[in-house]
Structure formats: structure tokens, C-alpha cells
Amino acid sequence: MSSAVVTFDGVHRWFGKSHVLRGLSFEVAPGQVYALLGRNGAGKTTALRILLGFLAPLAGSAHVLGRDCTDLLPEQRGRIGYVGEEHRLYPTMTVQQAVNFEAATRSTFRKDFALEAAKRCGLRSGQRVPFLSRGQRAQLSLILAVASGPDLLICDDPALGLDVVMRREFLDVMIDLLADTGCTVLFSSHFLSDVERVADRVGILHEGALLVDARLDDLKQRVRKCIWVPNGDAKPPVGDNVLRVGARRQGFDLTLLDATEAMFADLAKSGELSPPEAPSLEDLFLDITGPEQPGMLREPIEQFLSKTGGA
Amino acid sequence: MNALRMKDRPWMLGTIIAGGVGLGFAASQHDFVTMFVLGPRRLELLYYLAASCGIVLGALAILWDDLLGTREFLAQRPVTSDAMARSPLQACVVVLLSWMVIVPIFAWCMTAFWSGMYDLSYGAGFPEILATMMVAWPACAIGCVAAAMPAPWWLRLLLASTLTLSTALLISGVAATDGVSSHLGFAFACIAVAAVLFAIAGFFNKQRQDPDRPWPVPTRIVGGVVLVLAFGHSLTALGREALSNAVNTAQWEYPQIVRLDDKVGLAVRTKNWRNWVECDADHAVIGEPRPRADFVEIDYRAQRMRDVLEAEEPRFRDHFRDRVSLANRSDLYMHQDGRVWVRDRRRHQLHVTGVGPQHEKLPKGMELGYVDDVGKDPNQRSVIAEGADSGRLLRFDETAGHFVDLTLPDGDRFESVGYVREREAKPNVGEVSPLAFLFVHDDSISFIRGKNDSYAMKDGELVAFEPPVREKATVATSVRGEVIGKDPLSFVVEVPAHDGLASFRHEFQPRTATERFYAGLGMTFSVIRPPLTQASCSLLCDDETAPGVFVDRLIAGGKRVWLLLLGFAVAGVGAWGIQRRLLRIGASDHARRFWVVASALVGPIAVLLAVLVETPRRHARPNVVPAPAPRIVSVSECEEVVA
């Protein structure tokens, strides 16, 4: 048995004929901030909904706080905070009423903390929810989710639809509220710069399967990007270390994993090699999920190279 | 749980106010005297509006969070599923109770305001209003059940429709055995049905079923049984109606027994219905069409299948007429217990009146009515109170302001009030052409029918009145045929010898192509009825006049066993077919057992339901190929813990 707060173990899920999750497996350790990344339709929201018990996996299992997600008890739900994609709150309520509702339904909810936090965010208690801006609603959702002191906070793309300033503000509030709480966070996002600011570990989901499940600092150490212009008819490298070979007008963009010094020496010998550097998360994400890429699951790199003629 | 009630407050408040006012207006459809002095016979508008409001209320309560998009936000509360499931049902009960308080008060105030009468001593209509509104309870529960059922929207709508029909038939059947519902009986039936349905709604509301997965066993047991009962009952009732229509139409196609010239025989109507034509014992037409007037129909009472879809609003009183207008802009009102009031329409005043100067109550069972005066003033008429059982007749003396006894001449006994068309009573109006009746004044005039003679009112006096020819002809053809056999399709009619004519006997059964078609159609509807009800009908149903949904008179009392066996065979084939289908789509053993048993007992209706409910198991794909492991993986930071 693992100490993980969240465990996905070979979870499959279909919607009709669409295979949305294809054997998803990963774990989130206590106190970790885990970012689940992926393009639209990659299966992020489905994974989080399965975790919250709103959907059942059709194969495999998912556990949260040590309990099967299909059978969550009020006890576990009380320890989970949830911020949904669209920050759904009761449109018939005011900010004060929304806080009161949370306080009435969650025994651990800290009403004073929530009202104080709302005040700091510029939310007036008499403001009605439908008249809040998208950003204000996101902030209120986050405050409500955090004020009960959850052991696990699940956020489904919480910054979606916010402008740059609001997004930054939202993140600041999130960091501020969660500071030193030891709360485990699992969130999905499209904004990779935000992820780089807060996440300890990232999972990149593509077409229902996890391509990356790694610590952020680990990624920065192990992945290298360089430009290689071969001499004569030298072929680009192939193998497990090569994540991507992208054709340029002259030469190739290479994204390499755990590349050794010997490998760089070989490349330098057979062509001109730019200094290897750690790619940004956004670059890495594009390299492995971009539409024009061979894909790490769909097509072996050899096949891709044979199609493009090697260069 | 009060906390959950916080989010329900807006719709609760909205429905209490909107429903209370709307139903209050519906309960104010009569004037104050009819509503609260006499008590209404039935409140049709209130009944249907309460039923509609109930369904909307139930559906709104369950679907409120789906409408707002807050279902998952709510589901994430640390609240037990029981409390979550109970909360909307309890809110519904609060709203319904509020309606029961608001609507009668609102109706009293509204009718008192419009009638200009504010007399707190009158409240006769409250029991009727409250009893009529009880229909909102089962309707609300139906809304809850249909909205909470973990099924696609179209199946929920179908369930709501079938449950509505089914419960209406059930409540109507329980509460109105003799045509008049008792307040308590109707209320009890509504509450009992609502309690069962609320319990089912609570169960469904706890299930948050994944639409891509089949029902788990408990849901299939409850949901499947509810579906089978609701669809089974309502479709059986509809099928029974179709069966009745087909059998009655076949019987309608049979020739009529008629007296023509000097013999009794068979005849059928021609297509234009103006002429009749003789036919032989095989129902084949013989001879030429002749005018209808040449034939005298001999009536016989063959067994017919009664309609069963007669669920309507409850009728709490069997008054024929409890209000009549007087000449001096006043109205006369009579309570069912015999109390009578005169109301001046201009002054809004209500005066007690009755029989004689002492204003005694009218005898029980009397009805108010009019008798036309055929004297000098053609518009004059007298208000009477008639008691057919007691043979007593009273006339309201407008000058004295009370009822006086009206005695028929020569010691004759009052029997009924008859009506005759004015042009029949007065031949000088003239029959011009077949279309002329459209342009001729066609009012009927009323007369008094005594045991010995008929009387018309002329200038305030009763005079002997000669009934028109139509009335006499009815008496002349009173010879009836005796029906032997209780089957609606095959029976024998014997007409006794009379007026010098020989007796006549004919065995009716489908003989022509049309008759056989309708009989075959009826038998087809019989075959697809639930075998369980057919078997019990065949074995137990001896009283063939019973109008129940489950009575099929083609097989009742052990008749046509082959039709019963054919029904079993059809159900058996259906059960086998559904077993094959469920195997093919990968359904569980439980699902297969459930639907096979249901199909064997309920027949094609259950087969249809099984096809609708048990959809192909998309989740159960055998070839689940796991995705390859991630290309980039860091070491897990989770520690292994010894359990």
C-alpha cells in the first residue's frame, strides 16, 4: 500500500466510441503540487471527475485519500477541496450566502478566514454571484475550496478564461492561501508558465495516455534541446533517448532525453551541433504533443523519418 | 438537512408564491355562493392545474442543480447520500403544504371580493378545494421519480407519462367507485400513491448512475419493477381500450334485428345511413335498400366491452343543478342537504328560503330545474324542484318567495321532466328541407311526465300534453331480444313471438370480411396483453361486466383457451428473443434473469422495455490494451506503507 494521496491505476474510460482515458496510471504524494497538462480533449477533466467520484472508471481503479473513488464517504469529501472548470456557484446567492452555505455544509470550514480572504480579494459580502466577474468568481471558488482546510485540493483548469492579470492574481491568491498548509494539490491547466511557477511535478496527458510523469526539476535536468546540421548524408540519431527529431531548412531540431556526453560528442563529430540547453516546459509540451509531431505513441520515430526522407 | 435547504430557497419561494396564486385563481372559478355556501361539485381547472404544478414542482426540485450547473459543486459536499436524496423531497413537502394553506384562503378572499360577500360563516368549499388539491402530491412524486430516475431523458419523459396515466386510473378507480368520490377516500388514495412514489424517488435520487454503464442490481430491481408496472399498467389500459374498440366495432358491424313488413329478420345500414337493406343468416346483403322508416329496430343488449380510460377529476357531489336563475335578477341556490337561498344579484344579499312560509329544507334528493310555460308569454318558465324518487314536485312562487307543492291533475304521480324540440311540439313551424333545421329555432321545451300522462305548464297551470310521435314510437317498439351467451363476439339473440309475428333466433358471430377483420384485430390486441393478467382473467374473472383494465372479455371465464395459450406463446418467444439479445450485448446473469421473467409475465411490453433499457455494453470491451508507459518518468515520491 502506498502513502499516495491520489492513485490512478490503469484507468480506462470511454464515452460511447471515444476512448478518452487509456490506462492512466500515476500517483500524487502528500504535500505535492501536481499539474496535469494536456491539450483540449486529452482527458484531464475526465480524470479529475473520476477522482471526485462523478464518473466511474470502466476499467482500472482510482483512489483518493486511501479510498476507492467510486465509493467516497462524506469523511473523504470533507477533506477534498474542489475548484471546477467554470467556477460554478449558486447564482441565486450573494458572496456572504455562498460562504454561509459552505460553512453550513462543511464542519471544518473557517468562515472568518473565508470572509477575510474575500475582503482581501476585493469581494463585497453583499455582491451577488451572477454579478461577479469571471476572475472574482474564480477567486471566490478558490477561497471556498481552501477555507475548510482540505488535505487535497483539486482544481480543474481554474485559470481558464482569465486574462493575464487575473490569472497572475489568482495564482498569487492560491499560493498565498496554501502557503505552509501542507495541502496536496492536483490541478489541470493549459497555462504552462503558471505551472512552472507552482508545480512540483507534472503529468502530460495526450490522447488519454500519460507521456510524462516527472518532477519539474528532473525534467529540466534530463531533457536537452539542440540544433544539429549533419555533414554529408549523416542520419539523425534514433533510439529511446531521442524524444523528437524536427526537420529544419538546414539540419534538425533534436530533443533528447538523458543524453550522455558521448552522444553529444558523436553528434558533434558527424555534424554541426549547437550548445544543448534545457527546454522550457512549453517547448517540451509542444515537442511531444504538437499536431505536426510524430507523437510518442502513434508512430515510431523510424517510420516518421522514412516518410520525411531523413532530413 | 437545513443547510441544503439554503440553496433550495429561491425555487421554494418562487413555487410557493407562483403556485399558490395560480392555484388560488383556479380555485376561484365559481362565485362565492357556489364555492363556499353550497360547495362545488367538482373543480376541474384546479384539479388539472394542481396535477400540472405538482409534476413541475417535483421535476424542478430534483433537477434544480442540473439547471444551474451546480450538480457537481453540490455533490462535493461532505453530506451523506441519504440527506442529499431526502433534501429536495422534503422541500417539495414544504411547498405542497404551503399550497394547501395558501390556496383555500386565497380562493375564499378572491371569491368574496368578486361577489361582494364577506361572510366568514360560509366555508363549505374548503373540503373540496383541499381534496382536489391532493392530486398535486402524487403528481409531485411522479415528477420526482421521473426526474431522478438514472435513465436517458426520453425514457424519463415516457415514465412520467405512463406513471401519470397509471396513477390517475388507480386513484380514480379507488376513490370513485360509484361515480362520486369521498373527500377522505380521494385524499387517502393520493397520499398512499404519493408515499410509495416519494420512496422510489428517494431511492433513485441516491443513485448517480453513470449513463454509459448498465444499472447495478438494486437499481435494476427497483427501476425495472417501476418501469414494468408503470408501462405495463398504462399500456395494458391503452391496449384494453383498443381491444374494446375493435370488439365493439365488430359488434357494430353485425346486422340489426328488425321488423320489416310482417316478419322479423336482419338488416344492415347502407353507407349513407339513410337506407337499410335486408341480409341473410350469413350477414350477406339480399334485396334492395329501403328507407329507414320501413324498418322497426328490435333492441337487444349484447355484451359490450366498456371503456377503461375514464380517469377524470373527482366529483364530490352528485347535484344535477344547484343554481337556477329567477326572473327578477335573482338566483336560487340549493345545497345538497336541501337548504335553499335566494340571492339578489344587484345587492349581493343572500336570503334563506325553502318549502312554505316556514322555509323548510327541501327533501333530500330533489333537484332544481325549469318547466317552460307554453302559454301567452313564450319566454316565461317556472322554477321547480323535482324528486323523481319521492314523486314530489315543488314550484317556486316568486311572489311569495318560497316553494309550494305542485300537484298533478287526477292524482297522477310525477315521474320525470321530459324535453321535446319546439318544432316537434309545434308542427306549424314546419319541416322544410334536410338543411332547414340549421335555420329553424331549435330550442327544446320541457314538460312534466307523470305516471299516466304528460303535462305542460300553461299560464301557470298544468294542462295535459300530448307527447310528439317520437315519444310514442319508443313505446311501440319495446319488444326486446333476449341475448344468450356472454361473449361480445359470439352470442345468440332470441326475439319472442309478438304482435302475431313468429319468434326469431340468430347466432351472431363474425361472418363477413369486415366483421372478421375487427374480430381478428381485437384478438390480436388480446394476444399481446400481459399473460399474467390474461391467465388470472381466464381463471378468476367470472363477472364479465367488470370494467377493469385487466378484464378481457374475449377470454374471461375460460373462453377461447387457444387465445390465452397463443398469448403465452408470444410472451415465450419474446422472452427467448430478449434472452438472446442480452447475451449478445454482454448483459449480466441478473439482467438476463430479470428481463426473461418480466417478459414471460408481462409479455411484449417487457420485451420492449428490455430493449430500451439494456443498451449495448460499450464499457465491456474485451480488448482493453493498456497504453505504453510514459517516456519520461521521475522516481515516485510516495512511500510504501505497511497496511
Side-chain angles (χ1 to χ4, degrees):
Chain A
M1 191 178 157
S2 162
S3 67
V5 177
V6 170
T7 310
F8 278 88
D9 185 11
V11 170
H12 286 260
R13 175 71 210 199
W14 293 269
F15 291 108
K17 289 179 180 173
S18 169
H19 198 167
V20 176
L21 290 182
R22 301 190 296 163
L24 182 64
S25 298
F26 70 91
E27 289 180 332
V28 181
Q32 200 169 58
V33 178
Y34 193 106
L36 202 54
L37 312 178
R39 298 179 60 195
N40 291 335
K44 305 184 295 294
T45 300
T46 303
L48 297 185
R49 292 184 74 218
I50 284 176
L51 201 61
L52 288 160
F54 303 150
L55 281 176
L58 299 183
S61 66
H63 288 76
V64 62
L65 297 169
R67 190 159 182 98
D68 194 303
C69 293
T70 55
D71 188 28
L72 289 181
L73 298 175
E75 185 200 336
Q76 281 87 39
R77 292 210 180 275
R79 293 167 62 196
I80 300 173
Y82 172 53
V83 180
E85 199 172 18
E86 295 179 2
H87 318 297
R88 293 280 188 188
L89 297 167
Y90 284 101
T92 51
M93 292 182 178
T94 61
V95 171
Q96 176 75 52
Q97 285 168 336
V99 170
N100 290 347
F101 179 64
E102 286 293 326
T105 52
R106 289 182 186 273
S107 55
T108 56
F109 190 82
R110 294 165 293 163
K111 196 170 164 182
D112 294 339
F113 170 85
L115 289 173
E116 180 58 35
K119 202 172 164 187
R120 264 191 289 153
C121 294
L123 300 170
R124 283 179 289 110
S125 57
Q127 265 181 298
R128 299 201 75 85
V129 168
F131 301 127
L132 296 177
S133 71
R134 202 180 171 95
Q136 286 176 314
R137 226 169 44 235
Q139 285 173 335
L140 181 58
S141 295
L142 183 64
I143 291 166
L144 296 179
V146 168
S148 59
D151 292 337
L152 170 65
L153 178 66
I154 297 174
C155 304
D156 185 7
D157 221 341
L160 188 72
L162 304 187
D163 63 37
V164 180
V165 178
M166 281 312 300
R167 222 171 67 217
R168 175 58 62 93
E169 217 169 286
F170 177 86
L171 270 186
D172 290 343
V173 171
M174 186 166 157
I175 292 165
D176 182 30
L177 291 174
L178 293 173
D180 305 324
T181 60
C183 175
T184 308
V185 181
L186 171 60
F187 74 106
S188 67
S189 183
H190 283 112
F191 301 103
L192 305 180
S193 54
D194 297 347
V195 171
E196 281 188 300
R197 279 185 70 198
V198 295
D200 300 324
R201 194 176 175 106
V202 293
I204 297 180
L205 203 55
H206 186 61
E207 295 182 349
L210 208 57
L211 303 185
V212 174
D213 175 19
R215 288 192 60 83
L216 208 52
D217 48 9
D218 202 20
L219 272 183
K220 285 179 180 165
Q221 282 174 9
R222 293 171 59 194
V223 181
R224 286 288 177 268
K225 207 171 159 94
C226 55
I227 300 168
W228 177 66
V229 182
N231 295 330
D233 55 358
K235 298 286 181 196
V238 290
D240 289 344
N241 300 62
V242 183
L243 291 177
R244 177 183 177 250
V245 178
R248 295 172 65 90
R249 197 163 65 85
Q250 280 191 325
F252 298 94
D253 277 326
L254 300 181
T255 308
L256 306 170
L257 173 69
D258 297 329
T260 57
E261 287 302 322
M263 191 173 176
F264 287 124
D266 282 349
L267 285 170
K269 214 181 283 174
S270 57
E272 198 178 325
L273 185 70
S274 68
E277 53 188 36
S280 68
L281 187 58
E282 190 164 325
D283 285 341
L284 177 66
F285 182 80
L286 287 172
D287 280 350
I288 59 179
T289 64
E292 78 286 3
Q293 304 309 327
M296 297 169 74
L297 293 169
R298 288 176 297 189
E299 206 172 21
I301 193 88
E302 293 81 356
Q303 205 172 324
F304 169 72
L305 289 174
S306 68
K307 272 187 206 166
T308 56
Chain B
M1 190 182 182
N2 283 334
L4 292 178
R5 197 69 35 77
M6 289 169 74
K7 56 118 182 146
D8 291 329
R9 270 185 204 151
W11 70 259
M12 287 175 70
L13 202 61
T15 50
I16 286 173
I17 294 170
V21 172
L23 292 170
F25 272 114
S28 318
Q29 58 179 312
H30 300 297
D31 61 87
F32 183 81
V33 180
T34 308
M35 280 298 294
F36 293 104
V37 177
L38 308 176
R41 282 202 308 156
R42 57 171 49 165
L43 292 164
E44 194 175 346
L45 181 61
L46 180 63
Y47 177 82
Y48 289 109
L49 195 61
S52 309
C53 287
I55 290 183
V56 171
L57 171 67
L60 183 66
I62 299 293
L63 299 176
W64 178 245
D65 282 284
D66 297 295
L67 292 173
L68 298 184
T70 47
R71 171 65 61 200
E72 292 182 355
F73 177 68
L74 176 71
Q76 190 39 37
R77 311 297 74 223
V79 178
T80 61
S81 55
D82 280 339
M84 204 83 90
R86 266 201 315 269
S87 171
L89 305 183
Q90 288 169 342
C92 284
V93 171
V94 171
V95 175
L96 288 168
L97 287 174
S98 307
W99 285 352
M100 303 302 278
V101 174
I102 293 171
V103 172
I105 296 172
F106 186 89
W108 195 95
C109 295
M110 283 299 294
T111 51
F113 175 76
W114 291 119
S115 301
M117 299 177 67
Y118 301 94
D119 192 339
L120 288 171
S121 59
Y122 291 116
F126 286 133
E128 281 77 15
I129 293 176
L130 290 173
T132 304
M133 282 187 57
M134 288 308 294
V135 74
W137 291 74
C140 176
I142 288 170
C144 290
V145 168
M149 185 177 212
W153 62 269
W154 52 267
L155 190 57
R156 295 194 217 174
L157 279 180
L158 282 176
L159 178 68
S161 315
T162 52
L163 272 179
T164 304
L165 177 62
S166 195
T167 50
L169 288 172
L170 194 67
I171 292 172
S172 169
V174 169
T177 47
D178 57 352
V180 178
S181 304
S182 77
H183 299 92
L184 281 177
F186 184 75
F188 178 76
C190 288
I191 288 290
V193 170
V196 172
L197 291 176
F198 272 131
I200 295 167
F203 174 82
F204 282 158
N205 207 22
K206 271 173 72 176
Q207 323 288 315
R208 283 294 153 206
Q209 180 58 30
D210 192 329
D212 272 15
R213 302 196 75 162
W215 280 344
V217 173
T219 313
R220 180 176 294 105
I221 291 172
V222 177
V225 168
V226 168
L227 278 174
V228 168
L229 287 180
F231 277 72
H233 185 216
S234 52
L235 291 185
T236 302
L238 290 171
R240 169 66 167 70
E241 194 74 358
L243 168 63
S244 303
N245 287 341
V247 169
N248 291 342
T249 309
Q251 207 185 84
W252 177 255
E253 290 291 328
Y254 286 169
Q256 183 66 35
I257 301 178
V258 293
R259 200 174 75 190
L260 176 66
D261 302 332
D262 55 351
K263 62 175 186 201
V264 176
L266 300 171
V268 289
R269 302 166 194 86
T270 55
K271 278 183 183 169
N272 63 12
W273 283 45
R274 289 204 192 129
N275 299 320
W276 285 45
V277 58
E278 277 187 274
C279 58
D280 62 12
D282 288 328
H283 302 180
V285 171
I286 50 172
E288 292 299 315
R290 293 173 62 172
R292 186 182 187 283
D294 292 354
F295 298 83
V296 177
E297 287 181 57
I298 294 178
D299 194 21
Y300 61 88
R301 190 62 56 86
Q303 298 286 342
R304 295 177 76 84
M305 292 188 70
R306 290 200 218 165
D307 296 338
V308 292
L309 294 179
E310 287 180 352
E312 54 182 19
E313 67 279 7
R315 187 158 56 91
F316 297 109
R317 292 161 200 268
D318 56 359
H319 268 183
F320 170 67
R321 182 180 284 174
D322 43 28
R323 171 188 170 172
V324 290
S325 298
L326 299 173
N328 55 355
R329 300 187 69 184
S330 301
D331 294 312
L332 196 66
Y333 293 93
M334 185 179 76
H335 192 273
Q336 203 168 14
D337 64 6
R339 285 178 293 162
V340 187
W341 293 266
V342 176
R343 181 174 172 238
D344 187 330
R345 270 182 243 152
R346 287 160 298 184
R347 293 179 198 159
H348 305 304
Q349 289 170 339
L350 205 61
H351 302 291
V352 176
T353 183
V355 184
Q358 286 77 33
H359 299 315
E360 291 167 10
K361 283 205 280 188
L362 267 67
K364 207 163 184 186
M366 294 204 96
E367 290 173 355
L368 296 182
Y370 298 102
V371 171
D372 291 296
D373 197 310
V374 294
K376 290 170 192 165
D377 184 356
N379 294 321
Q380 196 176 344
R381 55 186 186 172
S382 297
V383 170
I384 57 161
E386 45 164 311
D389 295 337
S390 61
R392 194 172 174 189
L393 188 64
L394 301 166
R395 185 174 69 85
F396 188 72
D397 186 337
E398 294 194 28
T399 316
H402 58 74
F403 280 96
V404 292
D405 272 302
L406 190 61
T407 317
L408 301 192
D410 303 327
D412 202 357
R413 189 178 193 276
F414 168 75
E415 283 204 329
S416 63
V417 174
Y419 296 88
V420 62
R421 285 188 177 173
E422 201 167 10
R423 61 190 166 90
E424 288 175 332
K426 296 179 180 175
N428 60 345
V429 173
E431 185 94 27
V432 184
S433 76
L435 290 175
F437 69 92
L438 290 173
F439 308 100
V440 174
H441 177 60
D442 200 25
D443 278 351
S444 60
I445 59 169
S446 49
F447 64 96
I448 289 164
R449 197 181 280 135
K451 192 174 182 185
N452 302 326
D453 216 338
S454 298
Y455 307 93
M457 188 75 77
K458 189 170 184 182
D459 297 327
E461 299 292 328
L462 287 179
V463 293
F465 175 76
E466 184 71 13
V469 178
R470 188 164 60 89
E471 289 264 319
K472 286 198 282 189
T474 313
V475 180
T477 58
S478 61
V479 174
R480 297 174 67 91
E482 188 191 349
V483 178
I484 301 166
K486 292 179 175 176
D487 192 85
L489 288 177
S490 300
F491 53 91
V492 173
V493 178
E494 284 183 351
V495 180
H498 67 285
D499 294 344
L501 301 176
S503 63
F504 176 80
R505 186 178 198 276
H506 179 68
E507 187 181 346
F508 284 95
Q509 57 179 303
R511 293 176 192 275
T512 65
T514 312
E515 291 164 4
R516 285 196 182 112
F517 169 76
Y518 285 112
L521 193 62
M523 288 176 190
T524 308
F525 285 122
S526 177
V527 164
I528 59 174
R529 282 165 59 82
L532 185 66
T533 60
Q534 293 295 80
S536 53
C537 175
S538 177
L539 293 172
L540 306 172
C541 182
D542 205 23
D543 177 17
E544 297 185 353
T545 56
V549 170
F550 300 110
V551 178
D552 174 3
R553 300 221 349 242
L554 292 182
I555 59 153
K559 293 194 298 277
R560 293 191 184 84
V561 177
W562 63 270
L563 201 57
L564 180 68
L565 294 176
L566 191 58
F568 274 111
V570 168
V573 169
W576 176 78
I578 208 65
Q579 156 89 351
R580 300 257 308 166
R581 177 188 153 77
L582 292 175
L583 261 175
R584 200 171 60 244
I585 64 173
S588 64
D589 288 348
H590 179 270
R592 290 206 307 275
R593 272 199 306 274
F594 181 90
W595 289 113
V596 165
V597 171
S599 302
L601 296 178
V602 185
I605 296 170
V607 174
L608 174 72
L609 278 174
V611 172
L612 293 178
V613 170
E614 304 291 347
T615 49
R617 268 55 175 170
R618 289 224 171 91
H619 72 283
R621 290 185 181 179
N623 51 347
V624 175
V625 182
R631 289 288 297 276
I632 311 173
V633 184
S634 297
V635 179
S636 171
E637 289 132 284
C638 302
E639 297 162 8
E640 284 302 311
V641 177
V642 179

